[in-house]
Amino acid sequence: MFSCGSLRNVKYILIYNCFVQRHDPHWGKSERTMNRRQVLLFIPILYFSAVYGQASYSIPEEMAKGSLVGNIAQDLGLDVKRLRLGNARVYSGDSREYIELNRERGVLLIKEKIDREALCADTTPCAVHFQIVLENPMEFYSVSVEITDINDNAPTFEKNEIKFLISESAVVGAKFFLERAVDLDVGINSLQRYFLKPSDHFMLKLHNQADGTKNVEMVLQKPLDREKNEKISLALTAVDGGEPQMSGAMQILITVLDVNDNAPVFTQPIYKGSVAENAAKGTIVTTVSASDADGTLNGKVTYSIKNTMDDVRHMFEVNEDSGEVSLTGQLDYEKKRIFQINLLAMDNGGLTDSCKVVVDVVDINDNEPVIKIMSKSAVISESAKPKTVVTMINIQDPDAGENGKVQCFITENIPFVLESTSNNFYSLVTDNELDREGSFEYNITVTCSDEGVPSLSSSVTLTLQISDVNDNAPVFERSSYEAYIVENNTPGLSIFTVNATDVDWNQNARVSYILEDSSVNGVPVSSYVSVSADSGVIHAVRSFDYEQIKQLVFSVKAQDGGSPPLSSNVTVKVMIQDQNDNPPQVLYPVQTGGSLVAEMVPRSADVGYLVTKVVAVDVDSGQNAWLSYKLQKATDRALFEVGLQNGEIRTIRGVTDKDAVKQRLTVIVEDNGQPSRSATVIVNVAVADSFPEVLSEFTDYTQDKEYNDNLTFYLVSALAVVSFLFITCVVVIISVKIYRWRQSRVLYHSNLPVIPYYPPRYSDTLGTGTLPHVYNYEVCRTNDSRKSDCKFGTVGSQNVLIMDPSSTGTMQRIQNEKNILDEPDSPLEVGYIFLRSIMDILLLPTHGDAVDQVAEFKSSLQQNHPHHFEIGGR
């Protein structure tokens, strides 16, 4: 058992011829090592893209199932791991698989017991050819296993006995054709010699044939005497040369007849004929002829076929009278190309002659090429490099000569090419870069045609899917986006949608949208807008104000789901549109709550006199900021007018003495928005020539009106506040009294001593006579004491008492509350006195009395409680 090493680039295959000397018929089962090897020659083999080497082995037939053939991994120089990962397997085409591969051990084993005679008949040498196919990457190795013969078949005759009628006048040297024995073994194990016993009257004569067989003739060596011996019985034994020797025998029965002087003679010893393999049954192949010099009954010749133990009798027949050899079966050139027919001519006297007919079967192109897929990939990545093997194909055409020469080609205009790697082996490889986006599937038709006439062809279609690689980034529909949104929008409003597509497939084409980090006026853009990761919808996060920001410019990234992911960016500009959401603002004349501004018009003013100009602005833009001025109300509409566009107030007639000093004009300022917004301004105009006249007139008017408007409000508010505080104080006092009474009842019925407990960080500030509370109030005065008011602040700080959950801590808190209520300077008493003072002040009939009362109250508080209040005034 032997092999050649693996090939890389240009290698040499070392071919061994093994001559095995065996004396044990079960040599194969014991797996003995060959005792002699002989190196015949070195043959250079060119490197192909898919063929990497070959190995040859020789084993005897009839080896048991599971017997070792050879270590293919070692002989081909392959790692056992490569066999496992490459899914190594045996490819034998249409032939039965007699050999199997054990990928775990890297060895070839007998899969099925091999009978050399059934496999190859008389063909020598007998060999099994197959390929070891691997994937990732695709490659194959040719393996040849020669099956050697063992002596397991004995020579056999077709018949157990034959009979001859021989005339007693047969001359010495007369020949009688005998059926030869058949031994299915070959070589030394085949039939070697014959023995004829007894040998008193006859001897054997052997004739070597071109096909290696021997014709057997029985030759008369002593005259026969019917009167002495009418019946003769002989035994013909055939012996082979195997170890142990095997044999077979046939009985020959001879009946001696009266005189038959002449034997039939064929016109030629060898006849030749040819017939097409598709010839119909009954076709005459040739005609043989034999003549007999005897006349009448002894001169009649009959013809017969003497072939035994082969298929000649099933394929041909001879007319026993005419000698015509005709076809009776269906020929197949691919199975057998030459037939040798042994014919016998016999007269009625038992004398015979023989000849041979050689029939050549003419090949007809009746077999189309057979395409066998050795290995194929259903899916290939679009990133596959050129010359990547996709499919390996084996072409078989059993016809001969030109009829068996095959050429294969594939569909044009595809990125694949069909390369011939060795005899009848092809590899389909990539020819260019693949692009799944251009074509995600290829239906590749492989067509093979022979060179016969007419030519026969066959084809097979290979479907190849192109798997996707993330080689395309998402692409936006536009290079940039612009969108518009009206200010004062609702947060979460959908502004518009960005859309990007990815021509890749599945996960590689799944696009996610991401808002790129940036800022607008120092504020992150994510606080203004957001992007839906799945749909690309851009939402407003907040309500926009056109007066603060006019536009947003940011970037959105579209990223696919590949690994690594690819992305692209697009610039988005969101334009904020103005909305008429701001009314006009009057800048002049200034409106104040506590003072009065009046424009003076002398009584000598003429028509068109410019009194003043109303100045207003609108922070909106566009037509929303276009302002118009109209006179809404006026004391005397016939005296003044307002410019529609400029807001100028002018006289439309001359001023007379009859015109009132106080003129009140209400001017409305409107913008041009939809709907429009407006603002009003009151312009006081004094028609007078001197300032004192104007001051006295406007002062009385203002003070009286404002006093009447505010007095009722203050009275109602003060009454409500005082009522609320009074009720609160009553409820608190009653609650404390009840609580103290219940505690005293508990202590009265208890014998436990009361031990005061002072929690940590506790300081008794009540006993010192100093309160940490600070009260603030403001006294505001005007030239009219009726407008004076007081403002009081809240408590500045509070005592904090950390309570213990024990009863002593509770008792201490009760005692503290009692002290607070009993103190004359407690906050409750001070608050009550303070509120009573406020009521007295507000209910005074005159302004002067109110001022005096405030001063008196302030002095009293500073003297009695300097640590409770701080006084401030404006």
Side-chain angles (χ1 to χ4, degrees):
M1 198 174 299
F2 56 89
S3 70
C4 66
S6 64
L7 300 181
R8 295 294 186 271
N9 295 331
V10 179
K11 296 288 185 179
Y12 291 91
I13 301 175
L14 184 60
I15 299 180
Y16 295 90
N17 182 22
C18 300
F19 298 89
V20 183
Q21 302 294 331
R22 301 184 302 275
H23 302 285
D24 184 359
H26 303 289
W27 171 84
K29 299 179 182 179
S30 61
E31 300 183 6
R32 296 180 180 177
T33 306
M34 297 183 182
N35 61 354
R36 184 154 60 96
R37 299 176 181 175
Q38 180 177 1
V39 178
L40 292 183
L41 73 162
F42 290 89
I43 302 177
I45 299 296
L46 293 179
Y47 167 85
F48 293 99
S49 60
V51 182
Y52 286 83
Q54 67 181 32
S56 298
Y57 299 92
S58 179
I59 60 173
E61 64 173 330
E62 304 294 341
M63 288 181 67
K65 182 179 179 180
S67 300
L68 178 68
V69 176
N71 191 326
I72 190 67
Q74 178 181 346
D75 297 336
L76 292 177
L78 297 175
D79 190 1
V80 177
K81 183 178 180 181
R82 169 72 176 113
L83 297 179
R84 292 197 302 268
L85 299 180
N87 192 26
R89 64 184 185 279
V90 172
Y91 172 79
S92 58
D94 288 335
S95 304
R96 294 173 60 181
E97 290 188 7
Y98 295 97
I99 309 295
E100 64 180 353
L101 172 65
N102 187 314
R103 288 196 293 263
E104 300 299 325
R105 298 167 53 194
V107 297
L108 296 175
L109 303 176
I110 298 295
K111 183 178 181 181
E112 182 181 344
K113 183 181 289 187
I114 303 175
D115 184 1
R116 193 209 65 81
E117 290 74 30
L119 180 64
C120 301
D122 56 353
T123 302
T124 57
C126 179
V128 175
H129 303 280
F130 56 90
Q131 288 76 36
I132 302 295
V133 180
L134 295 93
E135 299 176 354
N136 300 321
M138 286 189 182
E139 55 187 12
F140 71 91
Y141 301 85
S142 295
V143 180
S144 176
V145 179
E146 181 183 1
I147 311 301
T148 58
D149 183 51
I150 62 174
N151 192 25
D152 57 343
N153 293 282
T156 57
F157 291 93
E158 183 180 10
K159 299 178 180 179
N160 292 327
E161 66 177 20
I162 59 173
K163 296 179 180 180
F164 284 97
L165 300 175
I166 302 176
S167 174
E168 64 177 339
S169 62
V171 297
V172 174
K175 297 181 292 181
F176 301 92
F177 184 82
L178 301 177
E179 294 182 2
R180 62 183 178 88
V182 175
D183 193 336
L184 297 179
D185 293 326
V186 295
I188 192 65
N189 297 322
S190 64
L191 179 64
Q192 298 295 319
R193 55 187 178 275
Y194 292 90
F195 297 99
L196 182 64
K197 292 183 180 180
S199 57
D200 296 338
H201 294 87
F202 296 93
M203 67 175 183
L204 292 179
K205 186 175 182 180
L206 304 179
H207 298 279
N208 293 325
Q209 302 297 310
D211 58 357
T213 61
K214 296 178 181 180
N215 285 338
V216 184
E217 291 180 341
M218 183 175 62
V219 180
L220 182 63
Q221 61 178 354
K222 181 180 178 181
L224 298 176
D225 188 352
R226 182 177 178 277
E227 287 71 22
K228 291 183 178 181
N229 199 354
E230 182 179 0
K231 302 287 186 181
I232 300 175
S233 178
L234 303 176
L236 179 62
T237 303
V239 180
D240 63 20
E243 242 352 284
Q245 192 177 64
M246 305 182 75
S247 63
M250 179 180 65
Q251 191 74 23
I252 302 175
L253 300 177
I254 301 174
T255 300
V256 181
L257 302 177
D258 284 334
V259 177
N260 182 19
D261 297 336
N262 298 287
V265 177
F266 280 100
T267 57
Q268 56 190 71
I270 299 176
Y271 292 85
K272 291 186 177 182
S274 62
V275 60
E277 62 174 325
N278 61 347
K281 293 181 180 180
T283 300
I284 298 176
V285 178
T286 187
T287 301
V288 299
S289 178
S291 59
D292 191 325
D294 293 326
T296 63
L297 184 62
N298 290 331
K300 186 178 180 180
V301 178
T302 57
Y303 303 93
S304 62
I305 297 177
K306 291 301 180 180
N307 291 68
T308 59
M309 301 299 288
D310 57 21
D311 55 355
V312 170
R313 289 187 175 182
H314 301 290
M315 301 300 295
F316 300 95
E317 67 178 2
V318 61
N319 188 298
E320 63 178 14
D321 296 326
S322 64
E324 291 180 347
V325 179
S326 60
L327 183 66
T328 60
Q330 184 64 48
L331 297 176
D332 189 351
Y333 176 85
E334 289 71 38
K335 292 182 177 179
K336 194 165 185 177
R337 303 180 181 184
I338 298 177
F339 289 90
Q340 293 186 5
I341 307 174
N342 296 317
L343 295 180
L344 180 68
M346 178 183 291
D347 60 19
N348 285 338
L351 298 180
T352 62
D353 192 13
S354 63
C355 71
K356 180 171 64 176
V357 177
V358 178
V359 179
D360 291 326
V361 180
V362 179
D363 183 38
I364 299 298
N365 191 24
D366 57 345
N367 293 281
E368 62 185 19
V370 178
I371 302 174
K372 297 293 183 180
I373 306 299
M374 297 174 58
S375 180
K376 73 172 184 176
S377 297
V379 179
I380 184 174
S381 172
E382 65 174 326
S383 62
K385 299 183 180 300
K387 301 302 179 183
T388 299
V389 179
V390 177
T391 303
M392 291 191 297
I393 301 173
N394 174 229
I395 310 301
Q396 299 175 359
D397 191 330
D399 291 326
E402 297 298 322
N403 297 331
K405 292 182 180 180
V406 179
Q407 298 293 331
C408 296
F409 55 91
I410 61 173
T411 310
E412 297 181 352
N413 300 322
I414 58 174
F416 298 93
V417 65
L418 194 64
E419 295 182 348
S420 177
T421 56
S422 62
N423 187 24
N424 294 332
F425 288 94
Y426 291 85
S427 293
L428 182 65
V429 300
T430 57
D431 189 36
N432 295 314
E433 298 287 344
L434 301 178
D435 185 8
R436 193 207 68 85
E437 292 70 38
S439 180
F440 65 91
E441 182 182 80
Y442 289 94
N443 292 317
I444 307 171
T445 301
V446 179
T447 303
C448 297
S449 303
D450 59 27
E451 298 183 3
V453 178
S455 177
L456 299 179
S457 64
S458 60
S459 61
V460 63
T461 299
L462 306 173
T463 300
L464 185 62
Q465 302 283 343
I466 309 299
S467 63
D468 186 47
V469 173
N470 192 26
D471 56 348
N472 292 279
V475 178
F476 284 95
E477 293 179 346
R478 306 179 189 173
S479 58
S480 63
Y481 288 87
E482 285 189 3
Y484 297 88
I485 183 173
V486 179
E487 65 171 335
N488 301 317
N489 58 285
T490 303
L493 178 68
S494 173
I495 302 176
F496 72 106
T497 302
V498 295
N499 188 32
T501 57
D502 194 321
V503 294
D504 291 323
W505 183 74
N506 205 359
Q507 186 66 22
N508 296 330
R510 184 177 180 180
V511 179
S512 299
Y513 301 92
I514 302 171
L515 183 64
E516 290 283 74
D517 292 335
S518 61
S519 60
V520 178
N521 298 331
V523 179
V525 71
S526 58
S527 64
Y528 290 100
V529 293
S530 65
V531 179
S532 173
D534 296 328
S535 62
V537 178
I538 297 179
H539 297 274
V541 175
R542 62 168 65 174
S543 179
F544 295 118
D545 187 355
Y546 176 83
E547 288 70 39
Q548 294 181 0
I549 184 171
K550 301 295 188 296
Q551 67 178 16
L552 292 174
V553 180
F554 54 91
S555 294
V556 175
K557 178 171 71 174
Q559 179 174 289
D560 59 29
S563 179
L566 300 178
S567 62
S568 59
N569 290 32
V570 68
T571 300
V572 179
K573 181 185 293 186
V574 177
M575 312 295 293
I576 301 171
Q577 294 179 330
D578 183 43
Q579 191 179 45
N580 192 25
D581 58 339
N582 293 283
Q585 298 178 4
V586 179
L587 302 180
Y588 185 84
V590 179
Q591 303 293 295
T592 60
S595 63
L596 184 63
V597 178
E599 303 292 339
M600 291 186 62
V601 176
R603 292 187 179 275
S604 59
D606 295 330
V607 177
Y609 177 81
L610 178 61
V611 178
T612 186
K613 181 176 183 180
V614 178
V615 180
V617 294
D618 194 325
V619 294
D620 292 325
S621 64
Q623 65 178 6
N624 295 329
W626 297 349
L627 302 180
S628 60
Y629 304 84
K630 298 177 182 178
L631 185 60
Q632 187 179 35
K633 291 191 302 182
T635 305
D636 187 356
R637 280 186 172 273
L639 183 58
F640 301 99
E641 68 175 358
V642 179
L644 182 63
Q645 302 298 331
N646 53 22
E648 294 179 351
I649 300 176
R650 295 179 181 270
T651 59
I652 56 177
R653 64 176 175 80
V655 180
T656 64
D657 295 337
K658 295 180 181 181
D659 294 327
V661 176
K662 294 185 293 184
Q663 295 286 337
R664 185 182 180 89
L665 307 179
T666 301
V667 178
I668 182 170
V669 183
E670 290 184 341
D671 57 25
N672 198 35
Q674 292 296 330
S676 64
R677 291 178 175 268
S678 62
T680 59
V681 60
I682 297 176
V683 180
N684 296 302
V685 179
V687 181
D689 293 327
S690 63
F691 182 76
E693 180 184 0
V694 175
L695 182 60
S696 61
E697 188 70 23
F698 276 89
T699 301
D700 294 339
Y701 169 79
T702 304
Q703 289 178 347
D704 293 341
K705 185 177 184 303
E706 292 182 353
Y707 176 75
N708 293 331
D709 293 339
N710 295 332
L711 180 58
T712 303
F713 173 76
Y714 286 142
L715 290 175
V716 173
S717 299
L719 181 60
V721 171
V722 170
S723 300
F724 174 76
L725 292 178
F726 176 75
I727 294 173
T728 302
C729 291
V730 171
V731 171
V732 170
I733 292 173
I734 293 173
S735 299
V736 172
K737 292 295 184 180
I738 294 174
Y739 183 78
R740 289 177 59 190
W741 176 77
R742 294 189 56 166
Q743 291 297 326
S744 64
R745 295 283 295 174
V746 172
L747 294 176
Y748 177 77
H749 293 288
S750 176
N751 296 326
L752 296 176
V754 179
I755 301 174
Y757 170 73
Y758 298 94
R761 297 185 298 277
Y762 175 80
S763 62
D764 185 9
T765 59
L766 297 177
T768 61
T770 302
L771 290 174
H773 306 288
V774 178
Y775 293 87
N776 297 294
Y777 72 92
E778 295 179 353
V779 178
C780 304
R781 296 181 180 179
T782 63
N783 55 0
D784 187 351
S785 60
R786 287 178 297 177
K787 296 296 293 182
S788 302
D789 60 357
C790 295
K791 295 182 181 179
F792 293 89
T794 59
V795 178
S797 62
Q798 299 177 356
N799 284 334
V800 178
L801 176 60
I802 302 176
M803 300 303 298
D804 188 88
S806 65
S807 61
T808 56
T810 304
M811 295 299 297
Q812 182 65 33
R813 180 174 59 81
I814 295 172
Q815 184 64 31
N816 290 339
E817 291 178 354
K818 177 179 180 301
N819 293 337
I820 293 173
L821 293 174
D822 292 342
E823 283 289 334
D825 293 337
S826 65
L828 293 175
E829 183 178 357
V830 173
Y832 177 73
I833 297 172
F834 185 61
L835 293 173
R836 288 291 305 273
S837 301
I838 292 176
M839 291 299 300
D840 293 340
I841 294 171
L842 295 175
L843 297 176
L844 287 177
T846 61
H847 302 308
D849 293 338
V851 175
D852 295 339
Q853 184 67 28
V854 170
E856 181 181 353
F857 176 66
K858 174 180 177 182
S859 175
S860 175
L861 289 178
Q862 288 178 339
Q863 291 176 5
N864 297 328
H865 307 286
H867 55 281
H868 286 194
F869 302 96
E870 291 180 356
I871 307 302
R874 286 189 307 198

